[in-house]
């Protein structure tokens, strides 16, 4: 017996995705209605097209970047500095609905973003209200089953690089994926992805408002549902500071610092605080006369913790031909929170070697 699946194909238009690091941005998802949306019905498919709104907060200063495909955006934890983040070029959107029997129905939309970004003033009720933002002017296709229950959920990720390992596709047929399969999505870490880790955003699965996942969708059984969601950085900014005591500066002149941080080979995209370190990542920081005794640098890392929920890393300092390694504790991480925007690790050199 042949079974035909009747679906709605929806090009989402109210999907407003805003990238923030602040903790003041909260937004429950509701279904909006647009009387201007067009839809066309055939024997098999009903198609509705609605605009997608993607936002990245930007500063009022340095809006024109000297780096190709980069924008100056706000960062958390280091007041007074502005950093360059590349615009996302890949989107991974998972819509979870329930059929009339209560079974999960997962539809996917993985898209390489090729549209333009436009500077404007954000007019929403979020923490970025009245800030300068860049809005993505493009569309994303999402499919929904014809028979669906009112409540659903959305999980989404955006990145400046393709994320191998994430389930992708633009599927219009029933698949075997469940909610747990989406929450546990992992991408494969590499050196190239590590270089772009600050340019990856997602919807953390444990971010709840009034005890409800903030990506919950209501009234999904209406003709024209629309989605508004906020995405957050999965990486944390690791702020590194070093200082050589003044009484030993004649014998200690640092020339290089090697940073080693814990890293997962497989990284949860929606559970960024629940990764397990299976490897280490090493980076070298070259010093000059202005930073040989004190200085500051930063890197972006996946906040992998030890058994005591602390983030630890090591610094190997070079003093001419000799080296010394310090293990540094950057503090505890509360895994009940959806993300960790900033961590600080300091080392003070008090004895020469």
């Amino acid at each position: 017996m042949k079974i035909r699946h009747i679906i709605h194909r929806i090009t989402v238009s109210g999907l407003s995705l805003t990238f923030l690091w602040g903790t003041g941005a909260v937004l429950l998802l509701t279904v909006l209605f647009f009387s201007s949306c067009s839809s066309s019905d055939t024997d098999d498919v009903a198609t509705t097209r609605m605009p997608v709104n993607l936002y990245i907060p930007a500063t009022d200063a340095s809006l024109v970047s000297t780096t190709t495909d980069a924008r100056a955006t706000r960062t958390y934890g280091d007041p007074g500095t502005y950093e360059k983040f590349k615009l996302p070029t890949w989107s991974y959107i998972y819509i979870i609905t329930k059929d009339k029997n209560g079974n999960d129905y997962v539809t996917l939309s993985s898209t390489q973003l090729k549209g333009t970004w436009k500077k404007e003033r954000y007019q929403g009720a979020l923490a970025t209200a009245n800030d300068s933002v860049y809005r993505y002017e493009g569309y994303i296709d999402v499919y929904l089953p014809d028979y669906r229950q009112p409540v659903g959920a959305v999980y989404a990720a955006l990145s400046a690089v393709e994320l191998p390992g994430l389930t992708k596709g633009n599927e219009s047929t029933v698949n075997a994926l469940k909610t747990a399969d989406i929450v546990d999505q992992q991408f494969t870490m590499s050196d190239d992805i590590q270089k772009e880790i600050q340019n990856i955003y997602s919807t953390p699965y444990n971010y709840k408002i009034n005890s409800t996942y903030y990506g919950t969708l209501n009234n999904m059984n209406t003709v024209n549902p629309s989605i508004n969601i906020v995405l957050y950085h999965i990486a944390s900014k690791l702020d590194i500071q070093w200082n050589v005591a003044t009484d030993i500066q004649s014998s200690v002149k640092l020339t290089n610092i090697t940073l080693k941080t814990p890293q997962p080979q497989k990284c949860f995209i929606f559970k960024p605080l629940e990764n397990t370190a299976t490897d280490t990542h090493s980076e070298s920081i070259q010093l000059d006369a202005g930073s040989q005794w004190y200085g500051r640098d930063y890197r972006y890392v996946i906040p992998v913790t030890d058994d005591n929920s602390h983030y630890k890393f090591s610094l190997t300092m070079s003093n001419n031909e000799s080296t010394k390694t310090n293990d540094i504790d950057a503090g505890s991480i509360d895994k009940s929170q959806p993300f960790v925007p900033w961590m600080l690790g300091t080392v003070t050199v008090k004895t020469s070697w």
Side-chain angles (χ1 to χ4, degrees), residues 55 118-123 131-135 137:
Y55 295 101
K118 180 182 178 181
K119 179 196 168 187
E120 63 185 35
R121 190 71 67 174
Y122 187 74
Q123 298 297 326
D131 274 2
S132 296
V133 294
Y134 287 94
R135 177 173 60 85
E137 299 182 307

Side-chain angles (χ1 to χ4, degrees), residues 19-195:
F19 312 137
L20 302 173
W21 252 339
T23 57
V26 294
L27 184 64
L28 279 175
L29 298 183
T30 57
V31 172
L32 308 177
F33 298 91
F34 297 92
S35 59
S36 61
C37 294
S38 62
S39 65
S40 60
D41 293 311
T42 65
D43 291 340
D44 295 326
V45 178
T47 303
T48 302
R49 184 169 184 171
M50 298 174 283
V52 174
N53 296 311
L54 306 172
Y55 295 101
I56 298 178
T59 63
D60 283 331
S62 303
L63 288 175
V64 179
S65 171
T66 58
T67 304
T68 303
D69 294 328
R71 296 291 183 272
T73 58
R74 294 188 188 279
T75 58
Y76 188 95
D78 189 6
T81 64
Y82 301 109
E83 301 168 38
K84 307 292 184 184
F85 295 110
K86 292 183 180 178
L87 299 170
T89 54
W90 289 88
S91 69
Y92 303 83
I93 298 178
Y94 307 90
I95 305 296
I96 302 172
T97 55
K98 299 283 187 181
D99 64 20
K100 59 185 177 181
N101 296 318
N103 299 314
D104 285 351
Y105 186 103
V106 178
T107 53
L108 304 87
S109 175
S110 56
T111 306
Q112 187 170 11
L113 303 177
K114 298 180 180 180
T116 59
W117 294 77
K118 180 182 178 181
K119 179 196 168 187
E120 63 185 35
R121 190 71 67 174
Y122 187 74
Q123 298 297 326
L126 304 176
T128 51
N130 297 318
D131 274 2
S132 296
V133 294
Y134 287 94
R135 177 173 60 85
Y136 178 66
E137 299 182 307
Y139 300 93
I140 298 175
D141 289 331
V142 179
Y143 300 87
L144 297 178
D146 186 46
Y147 299 105
R148 57 188 183 273
Q149 294 189 10
V151 179
V154 57
Y155 292 86
L158 293 133
S159 173
V161 291
E162 188 174 7
L163 300 177
L166 294 185
T167 302
K168 62 180 184 178
N170 293 287
E171 302 182 23
S172 59
T173 58
V174 174
N175 58 63
L177 294 173
K178 305 297 181 184
T179 299
D181 299 320
I182 303 306
V183 172
D184 288 337
Q185 287 286 304
Q186 292 176 298
F187 64 88
T188 303
M189 184 66 75
S190 66
D191 289 340
D192 289 339
I193 291 179
Q194 173 60 42
K195 294 175 183 177

Side-chain angles (χ1 to χ4, degrees), residues 265 268 293 296 351:
Q265 292 179 327
F268 288 116
W293 292 320
R296 184 178 192 176
T351 59

